Amino acid sequence: FASADVSPMSDWFDRLQYMAFYLRQSFAQMMFVGGVLAILGACVQFKLFSWRISLAMISVYLLGTFVLLLMLGFDYSPIRQSVIRVYPLIPYLVLAVWISLGTRYLLERYLPSKNGFHILIIICMTAAVFLSNIQANDRSQYRWSEEYASLVFEHVKPNAVLVLQGDIEHTVLGYFHLVDGLRPDIELISSFGLIFNNRLFEPMKLRQTEKQW
């Protein structure tokens, strides 16, 4: 990422903005209550796990968020925010573990019960998170990728060769061309030589040649 995701205009102020952005994203992913429970779980994990596991969990979160930001050179812009938003997926898993630890700590400390009341509370919390986010995550009527592929293919001449570069072009156009069979007369080629079988060059052999030089 350090060589690919870089902007010559970025500076330390951009990194600080992204750090605040990641904190907001962490609370947005888990909701405010979940964020508070995650902080509590990060503190009480030392009582439940060994210090090695606890430090490893903290390291995974920090390395996948703030340390990664120090390695990247993103300028703070809306389009870059949409790109970097998906990077901390593994740290979000750590947050989920911390939420469970924080919930367990509160239930065992303030609601000691063995009649299944704890399970009911956990089910209600899970249902609340699901219902509050289902509208934003329901993509059953989402047609952007289909409309994008149709629009691009409509403007491509017959029997053309289309060279693709970005992730969206490779995944969307590649899917609708190879799986759905749109525009079978054209040919898609990856400029990186990594995706399709009709490579213009072998990337691994090219790297070996560069090393020899």
Side-chain angles (χ1 to χ4, degrees), residues 148-163:
Y148 172 77
S150 300
L151 180 62
V152 172
F153 287 147
E154 286 177 1
H155 291 79
V156 176
K157 296 181 178 180
N159 301 313
V161 176
L162 188 59
V163 181

Side-chain angles (χ1 to χ4, degrees), residues 18 21 24 75-86:
Y18 273 119
F21 174 76
R24 294 194 302 270
D75 55 333
Y76 193 74
S77 62
I79 187 171
R80 293 293 188 179
Q81 291 176 35
S82 63
V83 172
I84 205 172
R85 192 188 305 270
V86 299

